[in-house]
């Protein structure tokens, strides 16, 4: 019986990891295909994705009682405004970064995500990270600078612009803020990630719409539709597919958090990143040289090392003899805080803020 349970659990983990990796890869490459074909409609493209995700959440709530859509509450909306604003700003810069860099370089462009998350989290908690955590951040940062270092061997067409790298930096910075804000936002949603997902997608769509209009993208879309040479197939199907897979990626992230561990999730993310790089070289003929390969390996290695460090730091150490109940409570709280920090960064990396949404 124990063997049967182990096999079922193994199959569940394998299924969820495969589901997550597949959804994430589809999101990146379909996003890239649409943005490459219609680079002047990034905000409208993102707005359609967010709208489809909201619609699918409502459809899912009608199909399953487990998915509960929150009722609109102005007081809750005000409390969630910071996390919604940070979310939509991060998504915008993430989309602009993906538009302007090669798919295989996307992992490098947002390579400072982990170090920035650690810095923001440390300021928020008024604590100093351990030297192991600092070492992990240093490895990731070194990997980023290896990847973005100018090289005469890289053709001009494959070289990322300073603006695209700035987009990647801002995307990583707002993901870091978002990871911290998730902690304080969940209690306003009854600690339901589904409710928070609805607020974030719906709120982000509302905040984004005025900028879509101000940027003139509806008019650009109208001009494209009137142009007989523009079929619109890539944009229409791309918006539909990424909207669906953005929703599935949200589900996949939730399932991954429920079924797997942070270390398992980070390893699956690492495998996905390697596949993403190889597929980018194959599908879009992206450049992959020694510097970029080394950069990706350093970023992935540092991220996995960080996850391992935080997981080991979060494990309780059996006390020799504890008579003070308050000391035990403080110890348990520190353990919970460590595990919570890993989960928050883990949620940020498995959600749309990892670049897939």
């Amino acid at each position: 019986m124990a063997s049967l349970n182990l096999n079922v659990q193994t199959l569940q983990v394998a299924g969820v990891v495969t589901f997550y990796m597949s959804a994430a890869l589809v999101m990146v490459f379909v996003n890239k295909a649409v943005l490459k074909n219609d680079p002047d409609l990034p905000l409208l493209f993102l707005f359609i994705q967010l709208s489809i995700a909201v619609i699918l959440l409502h459809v899912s709530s009608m199909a399953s009682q487990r998915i509960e859509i929150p009722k609109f509450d102005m007081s809750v909306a005000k409390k969630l405004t910071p996390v919604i604003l940070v979310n939509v700003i991060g998504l915008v810069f993430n989309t602009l970064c993906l538009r302007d860099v090669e798919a295989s370089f996307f992992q490098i462009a947002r390579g400072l995500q982990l170090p920035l998350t650690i810095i923001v989290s440390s300021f928020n908690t008024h604590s100093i990270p351990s030297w192991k955590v600092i070492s992990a951040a240093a490895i990731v940062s070194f990997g980023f600078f290896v990847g973005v270092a100018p090289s005469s061997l890289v053709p001009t067409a494959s070289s990322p612009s300073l603006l695209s790298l700035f987009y990647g930096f801002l995307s990583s910075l707002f993901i870091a803020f978002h990871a911290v804000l998730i902690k304080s936002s969940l209690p306003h949603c009854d600690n339901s990630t589904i409710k928070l997902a609805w607020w974030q997608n719906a709120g982000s769509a509302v905040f984004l719409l005025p900028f879509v209009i101000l940027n003139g993208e509806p008019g650009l879309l109208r001009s494209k539709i009137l142009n007989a040479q523009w079929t619109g197939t890539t944009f229409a199907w791309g918006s539909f597919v990424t909207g669906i897979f953005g929703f599935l990626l949200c589900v996949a992230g939730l399932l991954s958090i429920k079924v797997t561990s942070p270390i398992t999730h980070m390893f699956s993310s690492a495998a996905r990143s390697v596949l993403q790089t190889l597929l980018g070289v194959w599908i879009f003929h992206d450049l992959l040289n020694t510097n970029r390969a080394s950069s990706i390996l350093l970023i992935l290695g540092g991220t996995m090392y960080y996850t391992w460090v935080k997981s080991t730091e979060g494990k309780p150490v059996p006390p020799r003899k504890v008579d003070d109940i308050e000391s035990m409570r403080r110890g348990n709280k520190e353990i919970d805080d460590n595990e919570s920090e890993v989960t928050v960064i883990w949620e940020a990396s498995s959600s749309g803020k990892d670049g897939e949404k």
Side-chain angles (χ1 to χ4, degrees), residues 50-67:
L50 293 168
S51 301
I52 291 176
V54 173
I55 292 170
L56 289 176
L57 280 169
H58 280 275
V59 171
S60 301
S61 68
M62 291 186 287
S64 173
Q65 294 181 350
R66 293 183 179 180
I67 299 178

Side-chain angles (χ1 to χ4, degrees), residues 25 36 42 50 72 175 215 227 230 263:
L25 287 170
K36 187 176 182 180
L50 293 168
F72 182 79
I175 288 173
N215 201 39
N227 187 349
W230 189 73
I263 292 179

Side-chain angles (χ1 to χ4, degrees), residues 94-123:
N94 194 75
T95 302
L96 294 175
C97 178
L98 180 59
R99 181 193 66 180
D100 294 345
V101 302
E102 296 179 343
S104 61
F105 191 82
F106 187 54
Q107 179 77 19
I108 300 172
R110 297 182 310 111
L112 291 179
Q113 177 181 327
L114 177 64
L116 289 172
T117 302
I118 293 171
I119 292 171
V120 172
S121 178
S122 297
F123 273 105

Side-chain angles (χ1 to χ4, degrees), residues 23 30 51 56 67 70 87 106 165 173-174 184 201 247 267 296 311 319 336:
V30 177
S51 301
L56 289 176
I67 299 178
N87 179 65
F106 187 54
L165 293 178
L173 180 62
F174 280 96
S184 59
N201 283 284
F247 168 76
F267 272 103
I296 291 171
S311 297
D336 290 340

Side-chain angles (χ1 to χ4, degrees), residues 169-181:
F169 170 79
L170 290 177
S171 171
S172 301
L173 180 62
F174 280 96
I175 288 173
F177 284 127
H178 185 263
V180 171
L181 286 172

Side-chain angles (χ1 to χ4, degrees), residues 107-145:
Q107 179 77 19
I108 300 172
R110 297 182 310 111
L112 291 179
Q113 177 181 327
L114 177 64
L116 289 172
T117 302
I118 293 171
I119 292 171
V120 172
S121 178
S122 297
F123 273 105
N124 183 62
T125 57
H126 304 287
S127 62
I128 300 176
S130 67
W131 68 268
K132 290 182 179 179
V133 169
I134 294 174
S135 299
I139 294 170
V140 172
S141 301
F142 179 67
F144 170 79
F145 289 110

Side-chain angles (χ1 to χ4, degrees), residues 58-99:
H58 280 275
V59 171
S60 301
S61 68
M62 291 186 287
S64 173
Q65 294 181 350
R66 293 183 179 180
I67 299 178
E68 184 180 353
I69 301 298
K71 295 181 180 180
F72 182 79
D73 187 329
M74 183 57 72
S75 63
V76 175
K78 289 180 179 179
K79 293 174 182 176
L80 293 177
T81 295
V83 74
I84 293 171
L85 282 174
V86 167
N87 179 65
V88 70
I89 294 171
L91 287 174
V92 169
F93 285 123
N94 194 75
T95 302
L96 294 175
C97 178
L98 180 59
R99 181 193 66 180

Side-chain angles (χ1 to χ4, degrees), residues 191-228:
N191 289 314
S192 168
T193 51
I194 291 291
K195 289 183 179 181
L196 182 58
W198 183 89
W199 277 107
Q200 286 194 138
N201 283 284
S204 296
V206 170
F207 280 120
L208 187 61
L209 183 57
F211 294 96
V212 173
I213 297 172
L214 289 172
N215 201 39
E217 293 187 21
L220 287 172
L221 179 62
R222 182 175 179 275
S223 300
K224 286 175 176 287
I225 293 173
L226 295 176
N227 187 349

